Amino acid sequence: MAYEITEQKKIGIGLIGFGIFFSLLGVILFFDRGLLALGNIFWLTGVAILLGWRSTLKLFTNQAYYKGTISFFLGLFFLFVRWPLVGIILEIYGCIILFGGFWPSVKVFLNHIPVVGWIISYLF
């Protein structure tokens, strides 16, 4: 396998998974603020653990990604001031801008997983 998965990276992936789960549950339950906030906390912590604290700080403060960073944190602010629909839309846009360069790496990683890799190679 091309990628080494350490225990720390497993924890980061798990936290990102919990963050996505709680965010989706918050959206399903009519934009419940508590679940959305919990999902964001898990997701941000998971990204920081997976990438490393310095790399995460560099990612969010990189001049090329200011648009995504401002959009993401503005969405987080709108989530906390009880405008969850606007907040989620801004956060999704910010994530697409911030993590758009990671999609090819994610695709290569997913191709190495037995069942998921077969599905991805069949669809794309």
Side-chain angles (χ1 to χ4, degrees):
M1 195 163 164
Y3 298 101
E4 179 185 345
I5 298 180
T6 62
E7 292 298 319
Q8 184 175 355
K9 288 183 181 183
K10 288 179 185 177
I11 291 170
I13 291 170
L15 285 172
I16 290 172
F18 277 125
I20 291 170
F21 173 74
F22 279 111
S23 295
L24 288 176
L25 192 62
V27 169
I28 289 171
L29 294 174
F30 302 112
F31 295 99
D32 182 44
R33 260 181 10 134
L35 289 173
L36 291 171
L38 190 61
N40 281 324
I41 291 169
F42 278 144
W43 186 81
L44 281 173
T45 306
V47 167
I49 290 174
L50 184 65
L51 296 178
W53 296 102
R54 289 185 184 160
S55 297
T56 304
L57 186 62
K58 285 181 184 178
L59 177 71
F60 281 106
T61 58
N62 190 351
Q63 190 174 10
Y65 299 129
Y66 275 158
K67 191 184 215 182
T69 302
I70 291 170
S71 174
F72 181 79
F73 285 113
L74 190 63
L76 193 61
F77 171 75
F78 277 126
L79 181 71
F80 288 132
V81 295
R82 298 182 186 230
W83 286 20
L85 184 62
V86 175
I88 288 296
I89 291 170
L90 284 171
E91 283 183 1
I92 290 172
Y93 175 73
C95 285
I96 290 171
I97 298 295
L98 284 170
F99 299 105
F102 289 111
W103 296 120
S105 299
V106 170
K107 185 178 176 186
V108 168
F109 175 74
L110 290 176
N111 279 333
H112 285 75
I113 299 174
V115 176
V116 177
W118 298 327
I119 293 170
I120 289 175
S121 65
Y122 180 72
L123 293 176
F124 300 108

